[in-house]
Amino acid sequence: MPDETGHGSRARQGLAIAGFVLGLLAVAAAILLALGTWQGFVRETAPELLDRPGGPWAVGCVLGLVTLGGAFGGSRLGDGPSGRPRLRRMARGTGAAVCWVAAAAPGMYLLEALPGKNCSSYKTSCQYIPGTGGALLAYLLTAALLGRLCFRLRGARAEARGARERERLRRLRKKGKGKSRGGRQR
């Protein structure tokens, strides 16, 4: 119960600050645990994945395709109209977030397979995994070249759609149906 000096409210503020700091520490611990788990997963799976004949290039190409698919899906789901029901908007937003995570994960996987910058080479978690450089190169080439191709195709389709719409409006104006009321009176 607060008294006239306000000591009760100070105790409550102190508890709120302590709770906030503990919450931040819990979030930081969760992030570090997730990053450590991710690094362990990459260090266990990458050698087996890249050790096959043609493995690094094939893995790089497949991961590049996964990145393109995730980016395409994320952009398609994120561009939805805003006048939809709330549940549908939330579902589209969640789907877009999952797609963008799927687009970012392959690049993070390959970067995590590279040796650490400030890491001793005698540690097993820091050693170079053979084939990582080729996989990263194939990943970058696949994502860049096919991404550029998809971007150009998407732009060409939008331009063709715009040209069809302009032609349709031109034909309507020619018949006198595409003019505004003020334009018809002239």
Side-chain angles (χ1 to χ4, degrees):
M1 178 145 191
D3 56 5
E4 295 175 7
T5 59
H7 291 296
S9 63
R10 285 185 185 169
R12 195 173 342 158
Q13 289 174 353
L15 285 175
I17 291 171
F20 180 73
V21 169
L22 287 175
L24 284 178
L25 289 174
V27 167
I31 289 172
L32 289 175
L33 180 66
L35 289 176
T37 304
W38 178 254
Q39 183 181 19
F41 170 74
V42 170
R43 288 288 167 178
E44 290 293 323
T45 59
E48 285 106 24
L49 199 61
L50 298 173
D51 196 25
R52 299 196 171 31
W57 292 95
V59 167
C61 290
V62 168
L63 291 178
L65 291 173
V66 169
T67 294
L68 286 176
F72 183 71
S75 66
R76 293 278 292 182
L77 288 174
D79 290 343
S82 61
R84 294 192 170 188
R86 185 175 185 177
L87 183 62
R88 185 172 284 181
R89 284 193 318 249
M90 285 177 30
R92 285 180 69 94
T94 303
V98 167
C99 287
W100 284 113
V101 167
M108 291 175 53
Y109 182 86
L110 287 175
L111 288 177
E112 192 65 43
L114 293 171
K117 180 178 169 187
N118 297 324
C119 202
S120 303
S121 61
Y122 62 85
K123 292 183 181 178
T124 58
S125 64
C126 297
Q127 293 177 350
Y128 176 73
I129 299 172
T132 305
L136 186 61
L137 182 64
Y139 168 76
L140 291 174
L141 286 174
T142 301
L145 294 177
L146 288 179
R148 174 85 171 143
L149 179 67
C150 290
F151 180 75
R152 289 189 60 129
L153 286 174
R154 195 172 182 185
R157 285 185 189 150
E159 182 61 34
R161 196 176 315 118
R164 283 194 305 268
E165 181 66 17
R166 285 190 300 273
E167 180 63 25
R168 185 183 73 81
L169 289 174
R170 187 187 66 78
R171 277 185 269 136
L172 285 174
R173 281 194 302 272
K174 198 174 199 180
K175 292 181 180 180
K177 297 182 178 180
K179 295 181 180 177
S180 64
R181 290 181 182 163
R184 288 183 192 159
Q185 293 174 355
R186 287 187 214 169

